[in-house]
Amino acid sequence: SGYVVTKIDKKAKPSKRKGVCGKRVKLCREIAREVCGLSPYERRILDMIKTGGSAADKRVYKFAKKRLGSHKRAIVKREDIKAINAAQRAKAAGL
């Protein structure tokens, strides 16, 4: 019901892009990580993941949260370091 009109698609606002990593920034971060390696607290997290048993995930999360200040950042960091650990293990298995 009502007057039939053709819908015009609106252009996406730039604010909707907030938080999305661009190609250039991603490349720069990858190079920086390759050159600099892990920071001391990240190395400690990696060590916790390698040696930790059943409760390692929780301990890593609590440690990261204390260092980074928020729940979301801690979880993202934990998954990031887990991915690094997996990559190291895959590289070691490949040799």
Side-chain angles (χ1 to χ4, degrees):
S1 64
Y3 190 74
V4 180
V5 294
T6 56
K7 188 153 182 156
I8 299 168
D9 292 325
K10 289 181 182 171
K11 200 174 177 185
K13 289 182 183 177
S15 62
K16 296 292 179 193
R17 220 188 138 269
K18 185 176 188 287
V20 177
C21 196
K23 283 185 277 184
R24 188 187 176 112
V25 171
K26 190 177 181 187
L27 178 69
C28 291
R29 285 181 185 164
E30 278 177 21
I31 291 167
R33 173 51 55 96
E34 206 175 301
V35 172
C36 302
L38 300 172
S39 63
Y41 87 95
E42 288 174 329
R43 269 189 240 117
R44 207 165 140 192
I45 290 173
L46 186 62
D47 190 48
M48 279 182 194
I49 290 169
K50 283 179 181 174
T51 59
S54 57
D57 260 17
K58 187 174 180 180
R59 264 189 314 124
V60 167
Y61 163 74
K62 285 179 85 169
F63 180 76
K65 188 171 184 289
K66 186 144 185 137
R67 293 297 159 105
L68 298 169
S70 84
H71 172 79
K72 203 169 191 177
R73 285 178 184 172
I75 287 174
V76 169
K77 181 61 72 178
R78 181 179 68 187
E79 296 310 312
D80 187 35
I81 302 294
K82 271 187 181 178
I84 289 168
N85 185 34
Q88 284 180 356
R89 287 178 72 179
K91 191 177 176 186
L95 290 173

